[in-house]
Amino acid sequence: GENVEQHPSTLSVQEGDSAVIKCTYSDSASNYFPWYKQELGKRPQLIIDIRSNVGEKKDQRIAVTLNKTAKHFSLHITETQPEDSAVYFCAARQAGTALIFGKGTTLSVSS
Amino acid sequence: NAGVMQNPRHLVRRRGQEARLRCSPMKGHSHVYWYRQLPEEGLKFMVYLQKENIIDESGMPKERFSAEFPKEGPSILRIQQVVRGDSAAYFCASSHSVAREDGYTFGSGTRLTVV
């Protein structure tokens, strides 16, 4: 089955800096890669996703890149703000299966 | 649309009791997924169900845990004879279908504490 590795486990940045979180996956058949943000005590919420026919996707300050050959994908957050502080999860799956999540990255943005 | 509804939000059980966690998917969603989240850990897949069918239960512990999604009513995750190690947040998510690459919508979770 699918296995997703996520790095780093914790990330501290200053407000205004960029943050990058990286994930690798094992199943070359996976074709859908979402990212979720989870604030303390709350539910995970989808913030951006990318499909295997696309190499990059951007939505305001967040972007995701996908390298299918290397089986890795990354989340980029620019101009970080204190409200970006949360746990971020990457995930992967192929059609007909459940999402498999990485173990999460705790992002802390200090002002 | 009320979103994915989970209840109860908090559940306290003594060791050896049964815990029943409920999940009502979003309107129009026919796929339900259960995940367990331990403190400081990620979302661990447990089981994937469609109405009246278990599609993938590869993440379910072999004993004491079961799940169902009946034709009518919510999906139920049942834990028999709970132990302290079962204390965790249990999240349910739903999606429209797996033919489309939809992201999941998560419920608010049930936080189970075993005392």
Side-chain angles (χ1 to χ4, degrees):
Chain A
E2 179 63 272
N3 182 50
V4 178
E5 300 282 341
Q6 183 171 347
H7 300 280
S9 57
T10 60
L11 180 58
S12 296
V13 299
Q14 293 284 328
E15 183 178 1
D17 288 349
S18 294
V20 180
I21 302 170
K22 299 182 179 182
C23 289
T24 60
Y25 60 98
S26 62
D27 189 345
S28 56
S30 288
N31 56 10
Y32 177 63
F33 309 91
W35 287 86
Y36 285 80
K37 176 183 180 182
Q38 186 180 29
E39 296 176 343
L40 189 63
K42 297 194 175 178
R43 75 185 76 188
Q45 293 198 298
L46 178 69
I47 56 171
I48 195 167
D49 56 15
I50 191 166
R51 290 158 179 80
S52 59
N53 58 345
V54 176
E56 183 174 357
K57 183 177 177 181
K58 193 172 182 180
D59 182 5
Q60 299 184 344
R61 295 187 298 107
I62 60 173
V64 58
T65 59
L66 171 64
N67 183 328
K68 283 224 78 178
T69 303
K71 289 192 283 188
H72 67 70
F73 55 114
S74 301
L75 177 72
H76 304 251
I77 306 174
T78 58
E79 300 172 26
T80 54
Q81 302 167 2
E83 51 265 38
D84 294 330
S85 297
V87 181
Y88 291 80
F89 294 99
C90 62
R93 77 162 190 213
Q94 59 174 298
T97 67
L99 278 174
I100 301 302
F101 287 82
K103 291 195 173 181
T105 296
T106 301
L107 173 64
S108 300
V109 181
S110 53
S111 55
Chain B
N1 194 331
V4 178
M5 303 301 293
Q6 285 189 253
N7 66 81
R9 290 292 303 275
H10 300 276
L11 182 61
V12 180
R13 285 286 177 266
R14 295 186 183 279
R15 282 178 293 170
Q17 290 184 321
E18 178 180 288
R20 282 187 176 236
L21 288 62
R22 295 174 186 77
C23 170
S24 296
M26 282 185 69
K27 188 176 181 181
H29 284 190
S30 58
H31 299 255
V32 166
Y33 314 84
W34 285 93
Y35 290 82
R36 177 163 64 177
Q37 186 172 39
L38 290 165
E40 308 300 321
E41 291 194 14
L43 295 154
K44 187 169 184 289
F45 168 70
M46 299 182 75
V47 62
Y48 159 31
L49 310 105
Q50 291 181 13
K51 286 282 186 182
E52 300 184 279
N53 285 306
I54 296 175
I55 307 302
D56 180 359
E57 56 181 349
S58 58
M60 288 278 269
K62 294 285 184 274
E63 297 177 349
R64 303 188 297 108
F65 284 72
S66 62
E68 62 176 4
F69 188 16
K71 188 175 180 181
E72 301 291 337
S75 175
I76 307 285
L77 179 67
R78 183 180 177 205
I79 312 172
Q80 295 179 288
Q81 299 173 346
V82 296
V83 301
R84 288 227 171 102
D86 297 333
S87 296
Y90 292 83
F91 286 95
C92 163
S94 70
S95 69
H96 183 274
S97 78
V98 290
R100 292 165 47 185
E101 281 78 33
D102 290 331
Y104 295 173
T105 300
F106 278 90
S108 295
T110 294
R111 280 147 186 86
L112 172 66
T113 303
V114 179
V115 296

mmCIF file of all heavy atoms in Angstrom, chain B residues 45-93:
data_model
loop_
_atom_site.group_PDB
_atom_site.id
_atom_site.type_symbol
_atom_site.label_atom_id
_atom_site.label_comp_id
_atom_site.label_asym_id
_atom_site.label_seq_id
_atom_site.Cartn_x
_atom_site.Cartn_y
_atom_site.Cartn_z
ATOM 1 N N PHE B 45 -5.079 6.036 8.879
ATOM 2 C CA PHE B 45 -6.252 5.461 8.232
ATOM 3 C C PHE B 45 -6.713 4.198 8.950
ATOM 4 O O PHE B 45 -5.900 3.345 9.334
ATOM 5 C CB PHE B 45 -5.920 5.126 6.779
ATOM 6 C CG PHE B 45 -6.966 4.276 6.097
ATOM 7 C CD1 PHE B 45 -8.204 4.795 5.795
ATOM 8 C CD2 PHE B 45 -6.695 2.949 5.779
ATOM 9 C CE1 PHE B 45 -9.169 4.017 5.177
ATOM 10 C CE2 PHE B 45 -7.647 2.160 5.161
ATOM 11 C CZ PHE B 45 -8.886 2.697 4.863
ATOM 12 N N MET B 46 -8.018 4.091 9.143
ATOM 13 C CA MET B 46 -8.580 2.898 9.767
ATOM 14 C C MET B 46 -9.432 2.096 8.776
ATOM 15 O O MET B 46 -9.145 0.953 8.484
ATOM 16 C CB MET B 46 -9.424 3.272 10.977
ATOM 17 C CG MET B 46 -8.658 3.986 12.074
ATOM 18 S SD MET B 46 -9.686 4.346 13.499
ATOM 19 C CE MET B 46 -9.809 2.710 14.227
ATOM 20 N N VAL B 47 -10.482 2.749 8.231
ATOM 21 C CA VAL B 47 -11.423 1.997 7.410
ATOM 22 C C VAL B 47 -12.124 2.941 6.434
ATOM 23 O O VAL B 47 -12.317 4.125 6.720
ATOM 24 C CB VAL B 47 -12.456 1.271 8.314
ATOM 25 C CG1 VAL B 47 -13.273 2.266 9.125
ATOM 26 C CG2 VAL B 47 -13.374 0.345 7.512
ATOM 27 N N TYR B 48 -12.482 2.363 5.273
ATOM 28 C CA TYR B 48 -13.175 3.097 4.211
ATOM 29 C C TYR B 48 -14.450 2.322 3.889
ATOM 30 O O TYR B 48 -14.404 1.118 3.607
ATOM 31 C CB TYR B 48 -12.237 3.229 3.024
ATOM 32 C CG TYR B 48 -12.848 3.511 1.671
ATOM 33 C CD1 TYR B 48 -14.020 4.247 1.521
ATOM 34 C CD2 TYR B 48 -12.206 3.054 0.531
ATOM 35 C CE1 TYR B 48 -14.546 4.492 0.259
ATOM 36 C CE2 TYR B 48 -12.722 3.294 -0.730
ATOM 37 C CZ TYR B 48 -13.895 4.011 -0.864
ATOM 38 O OH TYR B 48 -14.413 4.250 -2.107
ATOM 39 N N LEU B 49 -15.586 3.019 3.931
ATOM 40 C CA LEU B 49 -16.869 2.360 3.716
ATOM 41 C C LEU B 49 -17.707 3.112 2.694
ATOM 42 O O LEU B 49 -17.612 4.339 2.561
ATOM 43 C CB LEU B 49 -17.690 2.308 5.024
ATOM 44 C CG LEU B 49 -17.030 1.792 6.277
ATOM 45 C CD1 LEU B 49 -16.686 2.937 7.214
ATOM 46 C CD2 LEU B 49 -17.923 0.817 6.994
ATOM 47 N N GLN B 50 -18.517 2.356 1.978
ATOM 48 C CA GLN B 50 -19.637 2.897 1.232
ATOM 49 C C GLN B 50 -20.894 2.342 1.888
ATOM 50 O O GLN B 50 -20.822 1.484 2.761
ATOM 51 C CB GLN B 50 -19.581 2.476 -0.232
ATOM 52 C CG GLN B 50 -18.456 3.118 -1.006
ATOM 53 C CD GLN B 50 -18.460 2.685 -2.462
ATOM 54 O OE1 GLN B 50 -19.420 2.104 -2.941
ATOM 55 N NE2 GLN B 50 -17.390 2.955 -3.158
ATOM 56 N N LYS B 51 -22.036 2.805 1.432
ATOM 57 C CA LYS B 51 -23.285 2.316 2.017
ATOM 58 C C LYS B 51 -23.317 0.782 1.984
ATOM 59 O O LYS B 51 -23.179 0.179 0.920
ATOM 60 C CB LYS B 51 -24.479 2.853 1.227
ATOM 61 C CG LYS B 51 -24.763 4.328 1.489
ATOM 62 C CD LYS B 51 -25.479 4.533 2.781
ATOM 63 C CE LYS B 51 -25.896 5.997 2.965
ATOM 64 N NZ LYS B 51 -26.571 6.215 4.266
ATOM 65 N N GLU B 52 -23.460 0.186 3.156
ATOM 66 C CA GLU B 52 -23.613 -1.259 3.349
ATOM 67 C C GLU B 52 -22.385 -2.066 2.938
ATOM 68 O O GLU B 52 -22.453 -3.295 2.892
ATOM 69 C CB GLU B 52 -24.841 -1.773 2.593
ATOM 70 C CG GLU B 52 -26.148 -1.137 3.044
ATOM 71 C CD GLU B 52 -27.364 -1.710 2.358
ATOM 72 O OE1 GLU B 52 -27.651 -1.300 1.207
ATOM 73 O OE2 GLU B 52 -28.012 -2.584 2.963
ATOM 74 N N ASN B 53 -21.277 -1.409 2.636
ATOM 75 C CA ASN B 53 -20.081 -2.147 2.220
ATOM 76 C C ASN B 53 -18.829 -1.599 2.895
ATOM 77 O O ASN B 53 -18.669 -0.388 3.021
ATOM 78 C CB ASN B 53 -19.878 -2.039 0.702
ATOM 79 C CG ASN B 53 -20.841 -2.913 -0.063
ATOM 80 O OD1 ASN B 53 -20.937 -4.106 0.184
ATOM 81 N ND2 ASN B 53 -21.559 -2.306 -0.990
ATOM 82 N N ILE B 54 -17.965 -2.504 3.318
ATOM 83 C CA ILE B 54 -16.626 -2.120 3.757
ATOM 84 C C ILE B 54 -15.705 -2.299 2.558
ATOM 85 O O ILE B 54 -15.575 -3.405 2.025
ATOM 86 C CB ILE B 54 -16.159 -2.990 4.939
ATOM 87 C CG1 ILE B 54 -17.052 -2.745 6.154
ATOM 88 C CG2 ILE B 54 -14.701 -2.676 5.273
ATOM 89 C CD1 ILE B 54 -16.745 -3.654 7.335
ATOM 90 N N ILE B 55 -15.086 -1.214 2.130
ATOM 91 C CA ILE B 55 -14.223 -1.253 0.954
ATOM 92 C C ILE B 55 -12.787 -1.613 1.333
ATOM 93 O O ILE B 55 -12.133 -2.397 0.658
ATOM 94 C CB ILE B 55 -14.235 0.092 0.200
ATOM 95 C CG1 ILE B 55 -15.671 0.522 -0.131
ATOM 96 C CG2 ILE B 55 -13.371 0.012 -1.048
ATOM 97 C CD1 ILE B 55 -16.442 -0.490 -0.956
ATOM 98 N N ASP B 56 -12.302 -1.026 2.431
ATOM 99 C CA ASP B 56 -10.919 -1.242 2.841
ATOM 100 C C ASP B 56 -10.845 -1.094 4.351
ATOM 101 O O ASP B 56 -11.141 -0.031 4.862
ATOM 102 C CB ASP B 56 -10.001 -0.226 2.147
ATOM 103 C CG ASP B 56 -8.526 -0.385 2.514
ATOM 104 O OD1 ASP B 56 -8.183 -1.270 3.328
ATOM 105 O OD2 ASP B 56 -7.718 0.398 1.985
ATOM 106 N N GLU B 57 -10.512 -2.168 5.024
ATOM 107 C CA GLU B 57 -10.375 -2.091 6.490
ATOM 108 C C GLU B 57 -8.958 -2.453 6.907
ATOM 109 O O GLU B 57 -8.717 -2.931 8.016
ATOM 110 C CB GLU B 57 -11.401 -2.987 7.180
ATOM 111 C CG GLU B 57 -11.363 -4.439 6.760
ATOM 112 C CD GLU B 57 -12.426 -5.282 7.456
ATOM 113 O OE1 GLU B 57 -13.062 -4.793 8.418
ATOM 114 O OE2 GLU B 57 -12.603 -6.439 7.036
ATOM 115 N N SER B 58 -8.012 -2.190 6.034
ATOM 116 C CA SER B 58 -6.631 -2.593 6.287
ATOM 117 C C SER B 58 -6.017 -1.880 7.483
ATOM 118 O O SER B 58 -5.018 -2.348 8.034
ATOM 119 C CB SER B 58 -5.774 -2.358 5.042
ATOM 120 O OG SER B 58 -5.808 -1.002 4.660
ATOM 121 N N GLY B 59 -6.572 -0.750 7.892
ATOM 122 C CA GLY B 59 -6.027 -0.010 9.025
ATOM 123 C C GLY B 59 -6.703 -0.310 10.347
ATOM 124 O O GLY B 59 -6.320 0.256 11.376
ATOM 125 N N MET B 60 -7.663 -1.172 10.333
ATOM 126 C CA MET B 60 -8.404 -1.484 11.568
ATOM 127 C C MET B 60 -7.648 -2.522 12.381
ATOM 128 O O MET B 60 -7.175 -3.531 11.844
ATOM 129 C CB MET B 60 -9.781 -2.051 11.224
ATOM 130 C CG MET B 60 -10.729 -1.019 10.679
ATOM 131 S SD MET B 60 -11.501 -0.051 11.955
ATOM 132 C CE MET B 60 -12.955 -1.062 12.231
ATOM 133 N N PRO B 61 -7.531 -2.321 13.689
ATOM 134 C CA PRO B 61 -6.992 -3.383 14.541
ATOM 135 C C PRO B 61 -7.836 -4.650 14.372
ATOM 136 O O PRO B 61 -9.042 -4.577 14.121
ATOM 137 C CB PRO B 61 -7.124 -2.801 15.949
ATOM 138 C CG PRO B 61 -7.129 -1.316 15.742
ATOM 139 C CD PRO B 61 -7.842 -1.102 14.446
ATOM 140 N N LYS B 62 -7.175 -5.775 14.493
ATOM 141 C CA LYS B 62 -7.846 -7.054 14.193
ATOM 142 C C LYS B 62 -8.931 -7.392 15.200
ATOM 143 O O LYS B 62 -9.908 -8.066 14.885
ATOM 144 C CB LYS B 62 -6.814 -8.181 14.164
ATOM 145 C CG LYS B 62 -5.811 -8.057 13.023
ATOM 146 C CD LYS B 62 -6.426 -8.429 11.702
ATOM 147 C CE LYS B 62 -5.431 -8.410 10.561
ATOM 148 N NZ LYS B 62 -5.279 -7.097 9.965
ATOM 149 N N GLU B 63 -8.794 -6.916 16.406
ATOM 150 C CA GLU B 63 -9.755 -7.254 17.456
ATOM 151 C C GLU B 63 -10.373 -5.992 18.025
ATOM 152 O O GLU B 63 -9.781 -4.919 18.004
ATOM 153 C CB GLU B 63 -9.062 -8.054 18.570
ATOM 154 C CG GLU B 63 -8.517 -9.390 18.084
ATOM 155 C CD GLU B 63 -7.762 -10.137 19.175
ATOM 156 O OE1 GLU B 63 -7.488 -9.542 20.230
ATOM 157 O OE2 GLU B 63 -7.458 -11.327 18.963
ATOM 158 N N ARG B 64 -11.567 -6.107 18.506
ATOM 159 C CA ARG B 64 -12.315 -5.113 19.276
ATOM 160 C C ARG B 64 -12.881 -3.969 18.440
ATOM 161 O O ARG B 64 -13.770 -3.271 18.896
ATOM 162 C CB ARG B 64 -11.468 -4.535 20.432
ATOM 163 C CG ARG B 64 -10.936 -5.568 21.410
ATOM 164 C CD ARG B 64 -10.273 -4.900 22.617
ATOM 165 N NE ARG B 64 -9.103 -4.106 22.227
ATOM 166 C CZ ARG B 64 -9.071 -2.779 22.233
ATOM 167 N NH1 ARG B 64 -10.132 -2.079 22.598
ATOM 168 N NH2 ARG B 64 -7.968 -2.148 21.879
ATOM 169 N N PHE B 65 -12.364 -3.747 17.255
ATOM 170 C CA PHE B 65 -12.815 -2.613 16.433
ATOM 171 C C PHE B 65 -13.685 -3.125 15.284
ATOM 172 O O PHE B 65 -13.355 -4.125 14.639
ATOM 173 C CB PHE B 65 -11.620 -1.858 15.835
ATOM 174 C CG PHE B 65 -10.886 -0.982 16.801
ATOM 175 C CD1 PHE B 65 -10.096 -1.541 17.786
ATOM 176 C CD2 PHE B 65 -10.977 0.400 16.711
ATOM 177 C CE1 PHE B 65 -9.415 -0.738 18.685
ATOM 178 C CE2 PHE B 65 -10.287 1.207 17.602
ATOM 179 C CZ PHE B 65 -9.503 0.636 18.587
ATOM 180 N N SER B 66 -14.785 -2.407 15.022
ATOM 181 C CA SER B 66 -15.619 -2.718 13.873
ATOM 182 C C SER B 66 -16.266 -1.431 13.372
ATOM 183 O O SER B 66 -16.362 -0.443 14.105
ATOM 184 C CB SER B 66 -16.694 -3.752 14.233
ATOM 185 O OG SER B 66 -17.557 -3.236 15.228
ATOM 186 N N ALA B 67 -16.695 -1.456 12.122
ATOM 187 C CA ALA B 67 -17.323 -0.271 11.531
ATOM 188 C C ALA B 67 -18.426 -0.720 10.597
ATOM 189 O O ALA B 67 -18.364 -1.797 10.002
ATOM 190 C CB ALA B 67 -16.295 0.572 10.774
ATOM 191 N N GLU B 68 -19.432 0.141 10.481
ATOM 192 C CA GLU B 68 -20.512 -0.126 9.557
ATOM 193 C C GLU B 68 -21.034 1.200 9.019
ATOM 194 O O GLU B 68 -20.867 2.257 9.621
ATOM 195 C CB GLU B 68 -21.640 -0.889 10.249
ATOM 196 C CG GLU B 68 -22.298 -0.149 11.387
ATOM 197 C CD GLU B 68 -23.477 -0.901 11.987
ATOM 198 O OE1 GLU B 68 -23.758 -2.041 11.580
ATOM 199 O OE2 GLU B 68 -24.135 -0.340 12.867
ATOM 200 N N PHE B 69 -21.695 1.094 7.866
ATOM 201 C CA PHE B 69 -22.335 2.251 7.244
ATOM 202 C C PHE B 69 -23.630 1.709 6.631
ATOM 203 O O PHE B 69 -23.665 1.304 5.482
ATOM 204 C CB PHE B 69 -21.420 2.853 6.185
ATOM 205 C CG PHE B 69 -21.890 4.168 5.613
ATOM 206 C CD1 PHE B 69 -22.873 4.934 6.225
ATOM 207 C CD2 PHE B 69 -21.317 4.654 4.445
ATOM 208 C CE1 PHE B 69 -23.292 6.135 5.695
ATOM 209 C CE2 PHE B 69 -21.723 5.878 3.905
ATOM 210 C CZ PHE B 69 -22.708 6.603 4.529
ATOM 211 N N PRO B 70 -24.700 1.672 7.433
ATOM 212 C CA PRO B 70 -25.943 1.042 6.973
ATOM 213 C C PRO B 70 -26.635 1.866 5.897
ATOM 214 O O PRO B 70 -26.313 3.035 5.672
ATOM 215 C CB PRO B 70 -26.784 0.971 8.256
ATOM 216 C CG PRO B 70 -26.253 2.065 9.120
ATOM 217 C CD PRO B 70 -24.794 2.183 8.809
ATOM 218 N N LYS B 71 -27.614 1.239 5.278
ATOM 219 C CA LYS B 71 -28.373 1.900 4.223
ATOM 220 C C LYS B 71 -29.026 3.174 4.742
ATOM 221 O O LYS B 71 -29.085 4.195 4.049
ATOM 222 C CB LYS B 71 -29.447 0.944 3.696
ATOM 223 C CG LYS B 71 -30.182 1.436 2.468
ATOM 224 C CD LYS B 71 -31.137 0.369 1.963
ATOM 225 C CE LYS B 71 -31.876 0.869 0.732
ATOM 226 N NZ LYS B 71 -32.838 -0.137 0.225
ATOM 227 N N GLU B 72 -29.536 3.131 5.953
ATOM 228 C CA GLU B 72 -30.122 4.302 6.577
ATOM 229 C C GLU B 72 -29.338 4.621 7.843
ATOM 230 O O GLU B 72 -28.980 3.729 8.598
ATOM 231 C CB GLU B 72 -31.594 4.026 6.950
ATOM 232 C CG GLU B 72 -32.477 3.642 5.767
ATOM 233 C CD GLU B 72 -32.707 4.805 4.813
ATOM 234 O OE1 GLU B 72 -32.580 5.969 5.265
ATOM 235 O OE2 GLU B 72 -33.002 4.551 3.627
ATOM 236 N N GLY B 73 -29.094 5.894 8.069
ATOM 237 C CA GLY B 73 -28.445 6.281 9.300
ATOM 238 C C GLY B 73 -26.950 6.518 9.149
ATOM 239 O O GLY B 73 -26.383 6.345 8.064
ATOM 240 N N PRO B 74 -26.313 6.912 10.258
ATOM 241 C CA PRO B 74 -24.907 7.276 10.196
ATOM 242 C C PRO B 74 -23.982 6.065 10.142
ATOM 243 O O PRO B 74 -24.386 4.934 10.399
ATOM 244 C CB PRO B 74 -24.706 8.036 11.518
ATOM 245 C CG PRO B 74 -25.671 7.386 12.459
ATOM 246 C CD PRO B 74 -26.874 7.055 11.613
ATOM 247 N N SER B 75 -22.740 6.350 9.843
ATOM 248 C CA SER B 75 -21.702 5.334 9.979
ATOM 249 C C SER B 75 -21.347 5.222 11.460
ATOM 250 O O SER B 75 -21.335 6.219 12.183
ATOM 251 C CB SER B 75 -20.476 5.732 9.167
ATOM 252 O OG SER B 75 -19.422 4.818 9.388
ATOM 253 N N ILE B 76 -21.050 4.025 11.905
ATOM 254 C CA ILE B 76 -20.715 3.776 13.301
ATOM 255 C C ILE B 76 -19.340 3.120 13.374
ATOM 256 O O ILE B 76 -19.076 2.136 12.672
ATOM 257 C CB ILE B 76 -21.726 2.835 13.978
ATOM 258 C CG1 ILE B 76 -23.159 3.336 13.813
ATOM 259 C CG2 ILE B 76 -21.359 2.601 15.438
ATOM 260 C CD1 ILE B 76 -23.515 4.494 14.682
ATOM 261 N N LEU B 77 -18.479 3.674 14.225
ATOM 262 C CA LEU B 77 -17.221 3.013 14.585
ATOM 263 C C LEU B 77 -17.404 2.514 16.013
ATOM 264 O O LEU B 77 -17.705 3.287 16.924
ATOM 265 C CB LEU B 77 -16.040 3.980 14.495
ATOM 266 C CG LEU B 77 -14.675 3.403 14.885
ATOM 267 C CD1 LEU B 77 -14.236 2.346 13.869
ATOM 268 C CD2 LEU B 77 -13.624 4.505 14.973
ATOM 269 N N ARG B 78 -17.222 1.230 16.188
ATOM 270 C CA ARG B 78 -17.485 0.599 17.479
ATOM 271 C C ARG B 78 -16.202 0.020 18.030
ATOM 272 O O ARG B 78 -15.475 -0.695 17.330
ATOM 273 C CB ARG B 78 -18.516 -0.512 17.278
ATOM 274 C CG ARG B 78 -18.958 -1.230 18.531
ATOM 275 C CD ARG B 78 -19.969 -2.292 18.144
ATOM 276 N NE ARG B 78 -20.391 -3.085 19.280
ATOM 277 C CZ ARG B 78 -20.859 -4.321 19.189
ATOM 278 N NH1 ARG B 78 -20.958 -4.911 18.001
ATOM 279 N NH2 ARG B 78 -21.232 -4.986 20.267
ATOM 280 N N ILE B 79 -15.919 0.348 19.286
ATOM 281 C CA ILE B 79 -14.744 -0.195 19.954
ATOM 282 C C ILE B 79 -15.228 -0.937 21.189
ATOM 283 O O ILE B 79 -15.814 -0.341 22.108
ATOM 284 C CB ILE B 79 -13.753 0.916 20.367
ATOM 285 C CG1 ILE B 79 -13.482 1.873 19.211
ATOM 286 C CG2 ILE B 79 -12.445 0.284 20.864
ATOM 287 C CD1 ILE B 79 -12.657 3.100 19.601
ATOM 288 N N GLN B 80 -14.989 -2.226 21.200
ATOM 289 C CA GLN B 80 -15.421 -3.032 22.351
ATOM 290 C C GLN B 80 -14.281 -3.148 23.355
ATOM 291 O O GLN B 80 -13.099 -3.114 22.984
ATOM 292 C CB GLN B 80 -15.819 -4.426 21.867
ATOM 293 C CG GLN B 80 -17.039 -4.417 20.967
ATOM 294 C CD GLN B 80 -17.401 -5.820 20.491
ATOM 295 O OE1 GLN B 80 -16.697 -6.389 19.672
ATOM 296 N NE2 GLN B 80 -18.490 -6.361 21.002
ATOM 297 N N GLN B 81 -14.650 -3.284 24.613
ATOM 298 C CA GLN B 81 -13.678 -3.516 25.702
ATOM 299 C C GLN B 81 -12.510 -2.551 25.593
ATOM 300 O O GLN B 81 -11.346 -2.956 25.477
ATOM 301 C CB GLN B 81 -13.197 -4.976 25.645
ATOM 302 C CG GLN B 81 -14.325 -5.983 25.822
ATOM 303 C CD GLN B 81 -13.889 -7.417 25.603
ATOM 304 O OE1 GLN B 81 -12.817 -7.674 25.079
ATOM 305 N NE2 GLN B 81 -14.729 -8.344 26.023
ATOM 306 N N VAL B 82 -12.819 -1.276 25.659
ATOM 307 C CA VAL B 82 -11.793 -0.255 25.447
ATOM 308 C C VAL B 82 -10.665 -0.377 26.457
ATOM 309 O O VAL B 82 -10.860 -0.789 27.597
ATOM 310 C CB VAL B 82 -12.391 1.169 25.482
ATOM 311 C CG1 VAL B 82 -13.371 1.374 24.342
ATOM 312 C CG2 VAL B 82 -13.031 1.477 26.826
ATOM 313 N N VAL B 83 -9.456 -0.006 25.989
ATOM 314 C CA VAL B 83 -8.261 0.050 26.828
ATOM 315 C C VAL B 83 -7.708 1.467 26.749
ATOM 316 O O VAL B 83 -8.089 2.250 25.876
ATOM 317 C CB VAL B 83 -7.197 -0.976 26.369
ATOM 318 C CG1 VAL B 83 -7.764 -2.384 26.427
ATOM 319 C CG2 VAL B 83 -6.720 -0.672 24.952
ATOM 320 N N ARG B 84 -6.776 1.790 27.674
ATOM 321 C CA ARG B 84 -6.252 3.160 27.726
ATOM 322 C C ARG B 84 -5.623 3.579 26.401
ATOM 323 O O ARG B 84 -5.703 4.735 26.007
ATOM 324 C CB ARG B 84 -5.244 3.289 28.865
ATOM 325 C CG ARG B 84 -5.893 3.258 30.247
ATOM 326 C CD ARG B 84 -5.368 4.354 31.141
ATOM 327 N NE ARG B 84 -6.155 4.426 32.372
ATOM 328 C CZ ARG B 84 -5.751 3.924 33.533
ATOM 329 N NH1 ARG B 84 -4.593 3.308 33.621
ATOM 330 N NH2 ARG B 84 -6.522 4.036 34.598
ATOM 331 N N GLY B 85 -5.014 2.636 25.718
ATOM 332 C CA GLY B 85 -4.371 2.939 24.444
ATOM 333 C C GLY B 85 -5.333 3.342 23.337
ATOM 334 O O GLY B 85 -4.906 3.825 22.288
ATOM 335 N N ASP B 86 -6.632 3.154 23.558
ATOM 336 C CA ASP B 86 -7.624 3.582 22.563
ATOM 337 C C ASP B 86 -7.918 5.073 22.672
ATOM 338 O O ASP B 86 -8.596 5.638 21.794
ATOM 339 C CB ASP B 86 -8.930 2.805 22.749
ATOM 340 C CG ASP B 86 -8.772 1.312 22.520
ATOM 341 O OD1 ASP B 86 -7.870 0.919 21.753
ATOM 342 O OD2 ASP B 86 -9.531 0.528 23.125
ATOM 343 N N SER B 87 -7.441 5.731 23.725
ATOM 344 C CA SER B 87 -7.670 7.166 23.886
ATOM 345 C C SER B 87 -7.032 7.914 22.727
ATOM 346 O O SER B 87 -5.830 7.787 22.477
ATOM 347 C CB SER B 87 -7.070 7.649 25.214
ATOM 348 O OG SER B 87 -7.724 7.049 26.324
ATOM 349 N N ALA B 88 -7.834 8.664 22.013
ATOM 350 C CA ALA B 88 -7.366 9.366 20.816
ATOM 351 C C ALA B 88 -8.515 10.214 20.290
ATOM 352 O O ALA B 88 -9.640 10.152 20.786
ATOM 353 C CB ALA B 88 -6.938 8.370 19.735
ATOM 354 N N ALA B 89 -8.195 11.006 19.256
ATOM 355 C CA ALA B 89 -9.249 11.683 18.500
ATOM 356 C C ALA B 89 -9.568 10.836 17.282
ATOM 357 O O ALA B 89 -8.649 10.395 16.573
ATOM 358 C CB ALA B 89 -8.802 13.075 18.078
ATOM 359 N N TYR B 90 -10.824 10.594 17.053
ATOM 360 C CA TYR B 90 -11.260 9.801 15.898
ATOM 361 C C TYR B 90 -12.003 10.736 14.949
ATOM 362 O O TYR B 90 -13.009 11.339 15.313
ATOM 363 C CB TYR B 90 -12.160 8.650 16.346
ATOM 364 C CG TYR B 90 -11.405 7.607 17.143
ATOM 365 C CD1 TYR B 90 -11.184 7.774 18.509
ATOM 366 C CD2 TYR B 90 -10.896 6.473 16.526
ATOM 367 C CE1 TYR B 90 -10.462 6.836 19.238
ATOM 368 C CE2 TYR B 90 -10.185 5.519 17.248
ATOM 369 C CZ TYR B 90 -9.970 5.713 18.601
ATOM 370 O OH TYR B 90 -9.256 4.776 19.312
ATOM 371 N N PHE B 91 -11.454 10.845 13.746
ATOM 372 C CA PHE B 91 -12.052 11.716 12.743
ATOM 373 C C PHE B 91 -12.708 10.887 11.652
ATOM 374 O O PHE B 91 -12.162 9.890 11.196
ATOM 375 C CB PHE B 91 -10.988 12.618 12.107
ATOM 376 C CG PHE B 91 -10.529 13.740 12.999
ATOM 377 C CD1 PHE B 91 -9.382 13.586 13.772
ATOM 378 C CD2 PHE B 91 -11.229 14.934 13.056
ATOM 379 C CE1 PHE B 91 -8.954 14.610 14.601
ATOM 380 C CE2 PHE B 91 -10.802 15.975 13.879
ATOM 381 C CZ PHE B 91 -9.661 15.801 14.648
ATOM 382 N N CYS B 92 -13.848 11.374 11.232
ATOM 383 C CA CYS B 92 -14.548 10.812 10.099
ATOM 384 C C CYS B 92 -14.470 11.832 8.963
ATOM 385 O O CYS B 92 -14.473 13.048 9.207
ATOM 386 C CB CYS B 92 -15.993 10.553 10.499
ATOM 387 S SG CYS B 92 -17.139 10.320 9.157
ATOM 388 N N ALA B 93 -14.382 11.344 7.736
ATOM 389 C CA ALA B 93 -14.404 12.209 6.566
ATOM 390 C C ALA B 93 -15.318 11.594 5.527
ATOM 391 O O ALA B 93 -15.578 10.383 5.545
ATOM 392 C CB ALA B 93 -12.993 12.383 5.994
#
